[in-house]
Amino acid sequence: MSAVAIIQARGGSQRIPRKNLKLFNGEPMIVGSIRKALASGLFERVVVSTDDDEIADVARAHGADVPFLRPADLADAYTGTAAVIQHAIRALDQRYDFTCCLYATAPLLQTRFLRQGLHALQAAPEKSYAFSVCGFGFPIQRALLINNDGSLDAMHPEYRNVRSQDLPAAYQDAGQFYWGRSDAWLRGDVIFSSQSLPVILPRHLVQDIDNEEDWVRAEYLYAALKAGGELEP
């Protein structure tokens, strides 16, 4: 079965300007995702979907294909992942069995988890997607809210007196990759649903990057993992 990686990278990131080209470990952030996709050996093609000429040039220089520039109406802050992937699938000159949406800002990505995702989806033909998740560091049922007067309250009061070990584990999107059957992407199957399978990552290999604080934490994690020999070459 054939597979394509789609790395979405728009030029107009707002909270971290030019995030996809900002240097991380000495190279543009997007380069790490391109390199991991190519090194995995899972993809017939690694494609970058961008609206930005500079991002396109960097992507091509590091081995990715940029066969089209994304239209402006799919490159604003409100466009969802599914719409971008649907556009890319339709824009390519070949249809692949599996399409993997790989984030450009995933410096802790491990190719072994990419393989797990594909294998899980191949083994479950009734499912549409498989994507990276990780557990929360503390039971979400015990979350707290800050009221308008500055005081604290329980988000779920019914769990105040339930021991944390007695609460079911909850998981969050790890923000690294989404494997999907190409037909499922095009149908618009819902990703966060029972049509998806989890690829569970350890929390110390996960850092979504949406703001400057996330970026700094990712740099610290990367340095620690590198020193500990946990990063793939």
Side-chain angles (χ1 to χ4, degrees), residues 103-125:
Y103 277 176
T105 52
L108 307 183
L109 175 68
Q110 305 271 311
T111 57
R112 59 193 168 108
F113 295 118
L114 276 177
R115 293 190 187 94
Q116 284 182 25
L118 177 58
H119 295 161
L121 201 51
Q122 288 175 325

Side-chain angles (χ1 to χ4, degrees), residues 170-192:
Y171 296 86
Q172 67 186 65
D173 179 7
Q176 292 190 357
F177 61 85
Y178 308 90
W179 276 103
R181 302 182 191 281
S182 295
D183 289 344
W185 284 113
L186 291 175
R187 285 194 306 266
D189 290 4
V190 177
I191 296 176
F192 293 170

